[in-house]
Amino acid sequence: MKITISALIIFCLSTISVFAQNNYSINGSVADTASNAQLTNSTVMVLAAKDSMLQKFTRVSNGTFAMNNLKKGKFILMVTYPGYADYVDRFTLDSAHTTHDFGRIKMILKSQLLAEVIIKAKVAAVKIKGDTTEFNAAAFTVQPNSKVEDLLKQLPGIQVDKDGKITAQGQTVSKVLVDGEEFFGDDPTLVTKNLRADMVDKVQLYDKKSDQAAFTGIDDGVKNKTINIKLKEDKKNGYFGKLDAEGGTDGYYQEQAMFNRFKGKQKFSAYGTIGNTGKVGLGWDDNSKYGGTGLQVSDDGGFYFYGGGGDDLDSFSGRYNGQGIPLARSGGLHYDTKWNNDKETLNTNYKIGSLNVDGSKNTLTQNNLPGTFITSNNDQTFHNHMFRQKLDATYTVKLDTSSNLKIAVDGTIKSSITDDKYNTRSLRGNDTLLNTNNRSVLNNTDQKIFNANILYTKKFKKVGRTFSVNINEALNQNETKGFLKSEIDYYNIGGGLDSMRKIDQYKTTLTHTSVLNTNITYSEPFTKTFAVIVNYGLGINNGRSDRRSFNQAAPGEYTLLDSSLSNNFKLNQLSNQFGAVFNYKKNKTIVNFGTKVSVVDFKQIDEFTNNTITRNFVNWNPQASFQYKFSQQQTFSLNYNGNTTQPTINQIQPVIVNTDPLNITLGNPDLKPSFTNRLSFYYYSYKVLSSQSIYLNGSYSRTMNPIVSNVVTDSAGASTYQSSNLKNKQTSNFYFNTGFGQKLFKTDINGGINLGANGNTFYNLTNNLLNETKSYTYTAQLRFSVYKQKKYDFWTSAGPTYTVNSSSLQQQVNNNGRGFNAYGGFNIYLPGKFQISSDANYQYNAATQAFSEDFKRTTLNANISKSFLKDESLKLSISGNDLLNQNTGYSRTGSTNFLTQERYTTIRRYFMLSLVWDFNHMGGGTPKK
């Protein structure tokens, strides 16, 4: 084979070119800043600037280092040495700079970091420490007197919605701690909306394990996404607070005050709010603050009692969901302290609050029946009131170096009033009048709740061997008294009045529950990588449910007991739970598997008839999980759990409830338990330098022998509901969410996309015919945000939705619907300490076959403010809420064989003048004025 001269020249040139591509190098030396001693064996790494991927590394020899054969591009140099702060610097290699001499790199001891700074290294914005992502607050700039919420909005991977609800890494944040401690417990917004951002040193994000898992070190699958706000040391002495006075048009107002005193290891806080704008006195989880549910015992298949009037009378849960006009009053005290060399701690809270909600609602319902349907139009006016007080305290003591004792108690007193009036008109499928119903419900509820918990933990000399005892006592007393008045007119096919039915009754409900649960847990490591945790639990549940209905013996005298609508049950339950969970952990892999089994003896005694129902059953709860950490910033987990669900007492007991005479519920004593298999996964990846985050999570479940609703609707439009098991079908439920976000190109704009899907397949029996309903919702969302210190910030998100609703009984009806949602806002900072801000929300739902009208709503809010004083601690604002006056209350849902559309009273356009003063005196300096 001949090689021509030209081919040889080309080969030589290409070879030179290849070598030239890698003919880049760096060099330098590493020494201690103070002593100038050489730090031999320091690690020197070269990372790609775009994704922080490792390119090359070497060790320092004789105080110097050198790397050859590097490619051209943008890189990051990182130098590490035990006991010293990491050194980070950026550099570029190209045709003009084929080598880079770093000279003498001086490393600083970590102990000296408080006094010295590495000039060349930028402040590390994010650090990954094990399972914790830590954000350095100093790396993010916020406006003067900004709150923690404003800081959180800038942190990569964290989103805060307009109500203050926080989402991090695709999951909802359920707890916000301050220096690792509860701060007003069940209302995170008291931290995020009131704590000053300039007090924050670090923001830590992690999955908080259960007390048991944190103690044993064996993952039990219980995790809550948690944010811990670490305060600066100099901000832990002094006081700060806020006074806010606001008055507006159409009678709207809101006032709030908060005072916080920090002194070393003691914290004291007090707050008070009042307002009818829906913005004060209401955190992101109103139910936790004002209502809460009653006792629920589900792990052992026990009985359920809910707060309020139960099934006999409508009740108010204490939740404001945007329907009606709220008047919220709330106040609270918080105190926590540590003493005895931090061996003893006390955390206590007292909260008091009331909530009034008044309004009206129109509900349009389509009830799909075999071959036809019924449409109902219901007008409702409501007045709801709840008053609540709660006191809680947690005491923790370190008994010795290996054992701890934690005692927690809380007590709640609640009272509520519900006053509802309904006017309903129902039509047959051919638009002929079927029935009309005028109904009113008035009731008063008083509830007392007490909980006590004792947890003792001990660690033995062998690492991983632990013992713990947990004892919990829960007491709940609920008393309801009220009136039900109803008048129904039934019409024949020709539209003529056929018959009438009137109800005028006085009803009482009295429930008591006492639940004692104990759990003994022991963990034993077989090897360094494999361990087991075993537990035994004893549960004793006793309760009484006394519900009575009285008819009139004379006007105003309700003394005639209606035995068909009354019952008095005693409930006794004894459960024994055994469990064993195995845990394998090595390198990047964690595998967890095991099961819990509960043997339950259940006894129900009817005090009226002396009839006794006994049930003995076994509940299985298998579980398994797999977790793999590709790196500290990238993890994947797969989880399985199965659970037995026992029917509730309200589903079992054969008692007629006539609260709504057109919708009667019956019990079914022959119900059997159902079993659900659930598979879920989670993936998260985060790249520190590019602020790129990716998450995926989803779940799929199937329920065998499901408990479904059996609905029989007669020719007059009255429906009777009774639960029953469906043996040959399985219900299913799924959801999937994914998100991607990062800074766009070389700008300060953060961009991202979220995709989601959720759906279910359910079954019910309608007039003894099987009805399969499917409901699927698909969403997509683009989001962008940008922040420029002292100039502007902007955020927006928008995307379409599509919902599929189908019923096997009405296959010819198409109720699929499309929609679009968008949200955005901006702040512009002007000279003279002026600020202009605005936000808008757009919602669109297209018409469907069942609902013939499109729904469009744009809510636009705006604000102009001016700050005063040197530190801008005094602010005067004028704001406008719902400037376009389009905030119409609206929702559309589908379930089983019902499609429902609601329109309701809600807060609309008003203008507000406000004066806010943020004051503080921290760190022992002179007070700011």
Side-chain angles (χ1 to χ4, degrees):
M1 183 174 69
K2 296 181 179 179
I3 301 178
T4 64
I5 297 298
S6 59
L8 184 60
I9 294 174
I10 293 173
F11 174 77
C12 293
L13 290 175
S14 62
T15 303
I16 294 172
S17 176
V18 169
F19 280 111
Q21 290 178 7
N22 295 307
N23 192 23
Y24 299 96
S25 63
I26 62 172
N27 60 82
S29 61
V30 180
D32 176 86
T33 300
S35 65
N36 214 27
Q38 297 177 353
L39 297 181
T40 301
N41 289 325
S42 297
T43 301
V44 181
M45 295 174 285
V46 174
L47 311 175
K50 65 177 182 178
D51 55 13
S52 70
M53 294 294 292
L54 180 65
Q55 304 297 304
K56 272 195 173 186
F57 75 96
T58 188
R59 296 277 187 180
V60 173
S61 177
N62 296 323
T64 64
F65 67 90
M67 287 190 203
N68 300 314
N69 297 326
L70 294 171
K71 297 180 180 180
K72 68 176 180 179
K74 295 183 178 180
F75 301 98
I76 297 171
L77 180 80
M78 178 178 288
V79 183
T80 64
Y81 190 81
Y84 286 77
D86 297 344
Y87 176 90
V88 180
D89 195 9
R90 294 175 179 266
F91 67 98
T92 300
L93 295 175
D94 53 30
S95 57
H97 306 87
T98 59
T99 186
H100 190 103
D101 185 357
F102 286 91
R104 197 168 188 80
I105 296 174
K106 296 183 178 181
M107 304 285 282
I108 294 180
L109 284 167
K110 291 181 179 178
S111 60
Q112 298 177 347
L113 276 178
L114 294 176
E116 300 184 47
V117 179
I118 302 175
I119 302 300
K120 299 191 74 172
K122 294 185 178 181
V123 177
V126 185
K127 288 185 178 180
I128 309 296
K129 297 181 176 180
D131 294 331
T132 300
T133 303
E134 184 178 87
F135 302 92
N136 188 345
F140 303 90
T141 306
V142 292
Q143 301 301 316
N145 291 297
S146 294
K147 306 305 177 187
V148 167
E149 182 178 89
D150 301 303
L151 173 61
L152 295 179
K153 289 178 180 179
Q154 293 191 60
L155 305 185
I158 296 180
Q159 300 172 42
V160 183
D161 71 8
K162 59 185 179 62
D163 298 318
K165 186 175 181 179
I166 305 169
T167 303
Q169 300 174 352
Q171 298 177 322
T172 299
V173 174
S174 58
K175 279 188 174 293
V176 177
L177 309 177
V178 177
D179 285 334
E181 300 288 340
E182 296 273 358
F183 191 71
F184 284 113
D186 56 11
D187 186 2
T189 57
L190 285 173
V191 176
T192 59
K193 290 183 177 295
N194 292 285
L195 203 65
R196 295 164 56 96
D198 60 10
M199 297 176 60
V200 179
D201 180 31
K202 301 288 191 300
V203 176
Q204 295 175 328
L205 175 67
Y206 59 95
D207 289 318
K208 188 177 187 299
K209 299 178 181 178
S210 67
D211 288 342
Q212 185 184 79
F215 170 66
T216 63
I218 298 177
D219 193 351
D220 59 4
V222 178
K223 294 181 180 179
N224 292 300
K225 190 67 73 175
T226 300
I227 284 178
N228 180 39
I229 306 297
K230 294 192 67 175
L231 301 179
K232 298 175 181 176
E233 289 300 322
D234 64 341
K235 300 299 183 182
K236 296 181 181 180
N237 284 286
Y239 62 83
F240 71 97
K242 180 174 71 172
L243 295 175
D244 182 357
E246 304 186 35
T249 59
D250 298 322
Y252 286 102
Y253 64 94
Q254 62 182 43
E255 329 292 339
Q256 47 186 330
M258 191 171 195
F259 176 80
N260 304 270
R261 179 74 169 92
F262 290 4
K263 186 176 182 180
K265 296 176 181 179
Q266 295 183 341
K267 299 187 189 77
F268 170 79
S269 299
Y271 78 94
T273 68
I274 183 173
N276 60 358
T277 64
K279 297 179 180 179
V280 298
L282 298 171
W284 79 53
D285 189 352
D286 309 312
N287 196 36
S288 296
K289 293 185 59 182
Y290 288 98
T293 59
L295 174 67
Q296 299 184 42
V297 183
S298 58
D299 289 342
D300 301 318
F303 43 79
Y304 289 59
F305 287 128
Y306 294 92
D311 287 339
D312 281 57
L313 291 170
D314 294 353
S315 60
F316 179 47
S317 68
R319 178 192 295 269
Y320 175 64
N321 56 5
Q323 299 185 12
I325 306 299
L327 172 58
R329 305 178 181 93
S330 66
L333 300 172
H334 168 85
Y335 177 75
D336 71 76
T337 185
K338 297 180 180 180
W339 70 96
N340 192 13
N341 295 321
D342 292 349
K343 292 181 179 179
E344 298 180 74
T345 65
L346 177 67
N347 186 305
T348 183
N349 301 281
Y350 169 73
K351 292 199 288 187
I352 185 172
S354 69
L355 178 65
N356 290 352
V357 182
D358 295 276
S360 61
K361 179 166 63 175
N362 173 264
T363 304
L364 181 63
T365 304
Q366 178 176 295
N367 181 6
N368 294 315
L369 301 172
T372 185
F373 55 86
I374 296 174
T375 58
S376 298
N377 195 319
N378 175 60
D379 290 311
Q380 174 190 2
T381 60
F382 53 87
H383 166 73
N384 294 315
H385 165 80
M386 176 167 284
F387 173 78
R388 176 181 184 243
Q389 295 185 81
K390 182 180 180 181
L391 178 66
D392 66 77
T394 301
Y395 169 73
T396 305
V397 57
K398 295 181 180 179
L399 300 176
D400 52 46
T401 57
S402 63
S403 58
N404 298 308
L405 180 66
K406 181 179 180 180
I407 302 173
V409 295
D410 69 78
T412 301
I413 298 176
K414 294 191 293 185
S415 62
S416 66
I417 299 174
T418 301
D419 186 0
D420 291 337
K421 294 180 174 60
Y422 304 86
N423 189 329
T424 306
R425 180 182 176 90
S426 299
L427 303 176
R428 299 180 179 88
N430 59 1
D431 290 336
T432 60
L433 185 61
L434 180 62
N435 60 59
T436 60
N437 178 211
N438 293 314
R439 179 166 58 97
S440 65
V441 176
L442 174 64
N443 74 290
N444 294 270
T445 300
D446 294 298
Q447 188 174 18
K448 298 177 181 179
I449 302 171
F450 175 78
N451 295 287
N453 181 266
I454 299 175
L455 174 64
Y456 169 79
T457 59
K458 181 175 180 58
K459 291 185 177 181
F460 297 91
K461 290 184 178 180
K462 184 177 180 180
V463 177
R465 179 182 291 170
T466 66
F467 174 78
S468 64
V469 179
N470 191 24
I471 302 173
N472 187 78
E473 172 72 21
L475 302 174
N476 191 330
Q477 176 180 304
N478 192 82
E479 184 176 6
T480 302
K481 299 177 181 179
F483 293 90
L484 168 65
K485 297 183 179 181
S486 174
E487 180 178 335
I488 306 174
D489 294 334
Y490 299 96
Y491 294 85
N492 56 37
I493 297 178
L497 182 63
D498 187 57
S499 61
M500 298 175 58
R501 183 188 178 192
K502 289 187 178 182
I503 298 175
D504 187 354
Q505 289 185 330
Y506 173 66
K507 293 177 176 289
T508 64
T509 299
L510 180 63
T511 61
H512 295 270
T513 60
S514 173
V515 179
L516 175 65
N517 283 321
T518 64
N519 192 56
I520 301 173
T521 303
Y522 175 78
S523 65
E524 177 67 26
F526 297 124
T527 67
K528 291 183 178 180
T529 59
F530 189 62
V532 64
I533 179 170
V534 295
N535 78 287
Y536 167 74
L538 175 68
I540 302 174
N541 304 346
N542 298 313
R544 176 183 294 274
S545 174
D546 187 353
R547 300 193 290 190
R548 308 195 180 204
S549 295
F550 298 89
N551 295 314
Q552 288 192 84
E557 297 183 8
Y558 296 87
T559 57
L560 299 178
L561 180 68
D562 188 336
S563 58
S564 66
L565 299 173
S566 302
N567 68 84
N568 185 6
F569 286 105
K570 287 178 62 178
L571 308 143
N572 301 312
Q573 177 177 288
L574 177 67
S575 64
N576 288 273
Q577 185 186 82
F578 307 85
V581 177
F582 297 89
N583 195 80
Y584 171 81
K585 182 177 182 180
K586 187 175 182 180
N587 299 330
K588 300 179 179 181
T589 303
I590 300 176
V591 178
N592 183 284
F593 62 93
T595 188
K596 292 180 180 179
V597 57
S598 299
V599 180
V600 183
D601 298 321
F602 175 85
K603 186 177 182 180
Q604 175 179 300
I605 304 170
D606 189 335
E607 297 285 278
F608 282 177
T609 64
N610 288 323
N611 291 332
T612 300
I613 298 175
T614 59
R615 300 177 67 230
N616 301 310
F617 50 85
V618 177
N619 286 343
W620 290 92
N621 295 92
Q623 66 180 73
S625 66
F626 169 80
Q627 178 179 314
Y628 185 80
K629 299 196 72 170
F630 300 93
S631 66
Q632 294 289 0
Q633 301 92 358
Q634 187 179 22
T635 183
F636 171 79
S637 65
L638 183 66
N639 300 277
Y640 162 79
N641 64 75
N643 66 283
T644 304
T645 301
Q646 298 292 335
T648 68
I649 292 303
N650 291 330
Q651 292 172 329
I652 293 175
Q653 60 188 26
V655 178
I656 298 175
V657 178
N658 70 334
T659 305
D660 182 354
L662 288 175
N663 294 279
I664 302 297
T665 301
L666 302 178
N668 181 0
D670 298 323
L671 284 174
K672 305 298 181 183
S674 64
F675 189 85
T676 300
N677 292 288
R678 181 175 293 104
L679 190 67
S680 61
F681 71 93
Y682 177 70
Y683 170 81
Y684 182 72
S685 172
Y686 178 69
K687 295 181 179 179
V688 177
L689 298 176
S690 63
S691 297
Q692 183 189 94
S693 63
I694 302 173
Y695 72 84
L696 297 94
N697 61 69
S699 173
Y700 178 77
S701 65
R702 290 184 70 87
T703 300
M704 299 181 291
N705 198 36
I707 300 173
V708 301
S709 177
N710 188 353
V711 185
V712 177
T713 304
D714 61 24
S715 58
S719 297
T720 301
Y721 298 81
Q722 188 176 45
S723 297
S724 61
N725 293 106
L726 196 61
K727 296 182 178 180
N728 300 321
K729 298 290 184 179
Q730 296 185 21
T731 61
S732 63
N733 192 297
F734 79 92
Y735 74 85
F736 172 78
N737 294 294
T738 182
F740 171 84
Q742 73 167 40
K743 286 188 178 294
L744 300 182
F745 309 109
K746 298 180 180 180
T747 69
D748 291 327
I749 300 176
N750 291 295
I753 182 171
N754 295 332
L755 301 175
N758 65 81
N760 58 70
T761 300
F762 287 151
Y763 297 91
N764 71 294
L765 295 169
T766 300
N767 287 2
N768 299 316
L769 293 179
L770 182 65
N771 181 30
E772 179 185 28
T773 59
K774 295 182 179 180
S775 179
Y776 305 124
T777 300
Y778 307 94
T779 62
Q781 182 186 65
L782 284 173
R783 49 186 170 82
F784 300 96
S785 65
V786 62
Y787 178 87
K788 202 73 172 179
Q789 182 192 4
K790 289 287 189 179
K791 292 184 178 180
Y792 59 83
D793 57 86
F794 168 81
W795 67 94
T796 184
S797 63
T801 65
Y802 190 77
T803 300
V804 177
N805 286 308
S806 66
S807 168
S808 62
L809 295 181
Q810 294 289 341
Q811 298 184 19
Q812 75 281 6
V813 178
N814 181 357
N815 279 303
N816 299 342
R818 55 189 173 86
F820 190 87
N821 296 289
Y823 175 75
F826 65 85
N827 293 300
I828 299 177
Y829 306 94
L830 303 173
K833 299 181 181 179
F834 280 95
Q835 178 182 336
I836 298 175
S837 61
S838 180
D839 64 83
N841 189 302
Y842 174 77
Q843 180 182 352
Y844 168 74
N845 291 97
T848 67
Q849 196 165 339
F851 307 111
S852 58
E853 296 181 4
D854 287 346
F855 176 79
K856 297 179 181 179
R857 176 178 61 195
T858 302
T859 54
L860 176 63
N861 308 311
N863 176 283
I864 182 170
S865 63
K866 176 175 173 56
S867 298
F868 299 90
L869 307 181
K870 184 178 180 180
D871 62 354
E872 303 185 22
S873 59
L874 187 66
K875 181 181 289 187
L876 180 67
S877 303
I878 300 176
S879 60
N881 181 78
D882 186 24
L883 294 179
L884 303 179
N885 205 29
Q886 293 186 12
N887 190 27
T888 303
Y890 172 85
S891 69
R892 185 182 293 177
T893 58
S895 62
T896 61
N897 54 319
F898 288 92
L899 295 172
T900 303
Q901 177 176 281
E902 294 181 338
R903 295 180 182 270
Y904 46 83
T905 305
T906 192
I907 298 171
R908 303 195 69 172
R909 181 167 57 195
Y910 66 84
F911 297 91
M912 187 80 76
L913 177 67
S914 67
L915 183 65
V916 180
W917 179 41
D918 283 282
F919 58 89
N920 80 94
H921 177 197
M922 304 299 295
T926 56
K928 294 184 178 182
K929 297 180 180 180

